[in-house]
Amino acid sequence: APAAGRAAVCMQGGGAAAGIGGSGGPGLQWGGVENDPNFKTAKLSDKLKEADIERRLESEAIAAREEAVQRAREERARKVALLTQIPDDVKAGTVDDFMYKEGVKDILEKLDYDLIGLTPVKQRVREIASLLVVDKMRLKLGLETSVPSLHMGFTGAPGTGKTTVALRMGQILQRMGYCRTGHVVVATRDDLVGQYVGHTAPKTKEMVKKAMGGILLVDEAYYLYNAANDRDYGQESVEILLNVMENNKEDIIVVLAGY
């Protein structure tokens, strides 16, 4: 009898109990996969292929990292060279001068007059205006620049001046060339969300079309989507607005207001 745990099995004919069938023909023999040299060769070949794939992936990852480092080094050198090429006598101006010439300072003074208090809000508006001025000054010097995302969120109780701030922001952005008209379109859930299937998308797109070139102020934005209602269509409106905010960010500014 073979030893315990051995895979090779040997069965020989000679009887119904000892073999398969009752005849005394040739015995049925099975040596098992452990004794098959082709199986061992195939298993080793698979291991070698896996090792080759791992080495190739590792080499590609190392090459990609080195290429990224090299690109970053070249980009930095290019920016340094661009800065050194700017003549010392070139003047980009100051933030205050630019704001005065473009009429931004007048709008900020009107904001001070329209709203009593709200010092942090006014300071934040000035910071945004100053950031955009620096962006314009960089562009004037020939430096690379990108338009920052100007979508905003206003929080505050009713009557605290959210619409007024949005209106002044629209005027500031229009004076500085970040939106074409600077007009403000105020929309609520009733203006954006429909009452039945297929009604929401046309309503939302119509409001977006009206606000193109300016600001779309979504008042009481927290009412847009009601998760407790399975038949609420606000999610569709939110998805359309997100798509517009991403793909048309240079032609429309979306302000979400609420508390």
Side-chain angles (χ1 to χ4, degrees):
R6 185 175 179 181
V9 178
C10 181
M11 293 183 293
Q12 296 180 350
I20 297 179
S23 63
L28 176 63
Q29 296 182 350
W30 177 56
V33 296
E34 291 183 356
N35 297 328
D36 187 355
N38 293 329
F39 175 79
K40 293 182 178 180
T41 303
K43 191 173 182 181
L44 178 60
S45 176
D46 292 340
K47 291 292 185 181
L48 291 175
K49 288 180 180 179
E50 292 177 0
D52 289 340
I53 293 174
E54 290 179 359
R55 282 195 298 269
R56 188 175 70 253
L57 293 176
E58 184 178 358
S59 300
E60 291 176 355
I62 293 174
R65 288 196 297 268
E66 292 178 350
E67 185 179 355
V69 171
Q70 181 63 23
R71 284 200 304 267
R73 189 181 296 113
E74 293 175 355
E75 181 66 16
R76 183 176 183 277
R78 187 184 64 82
K79 291 181 178 180
V80 171
L82 184 61
L83 288 173
T84 56
Q85 291 173 3
I86 299 176
D88 295 336
D89 56 349
V90 175
K91 295 182 179 180
T94 63
V95 174
D96 291 336
D97 292 340
F98 191 93
M99 286 189 176
Y100 179 78
K101 292 178 181 178
E102 299 296 327
V104 177
K105 186 167 291 186
D106 293 338
I107 299 174
L108 294 175
E109 291 176 356
K110 290 179 180 179
L111 183 63
D112 282 334
Y113 179 80
D114 292 338
L115 297 178
I116 304 300
L118 297 179
T119 302
V121 175
K122 297 175 183 178
Q123 180 63 28
R124 182 57 176 162
V125 172
R126 286 188 174 87
E127 290 174 355
I128 294 174
S130 300
L131 175 64
L132 299 180
V133 167
V134 172
D135 183 71
K136 288 290 185 181
M137 294 166 67
R138 288 175 57 86
L139 189 62
K140 183 179 178 180
L141 293 174
L143 300 176
E144 290 185 0
T145 181
S146 59
V147 179
S149 177
L150 297 173
H151 304 302
M152 308 176 194
F154 294 170
T155 58
T160 53
K162 296 187 294 294
T163 304
T164 301
V165 175
L167 180 62
R168 297 305 179 198
M169 279 302 306
Q171 294 173 350
I172 292 173
L173 297 174
Q174 189 270 335
R175 295 287 181 89
M176 300 180 70
Y178 286 96
C179 60
R180 288 185 284 110
T181 61
H183 69 288
V184 177
V185 176
V186 181
T188 61
R189 175 187 167 88
D190 294 337
D191 300 315
L192 299 171
V193 182
Q195 302 297 321
Y196 49 86
V197 176
H199 191 208
T200 298
K203 293 185 69 174
T204 302
K205 291 178 181 179
E206 180 65 23
M207 296 303 298
V208 169
K209 183 178 179 181
K210 291 180 180 179
M212 277 295 175
I215 294 178
L216 176 62
L217 175 63
V218 182
D219 200 10
E220 297 180 340
Y222 46 84
Y223 281 135
L224 276 182
Y225 177 59
N226 183 10
N229 186 0
D230 295 336
R231 300 185 61 183
D232 184 78
Y233 303 112
Q235 179 67 26
E236 183 180 0
S237 179
V238 172
E239 291 175 356
I240 294 174
L241 289 176
L242 290 175
N243 186 51
V244 169
M245 292 167 66
E246 179 63 26
N247 298 330
N248 302 91
K249 58 185 177 182
E250 296 183 358
D251 202 32
I252 188 173
I253 299 168
V254 178
V255 177
L256 303 179
Y259 60 89

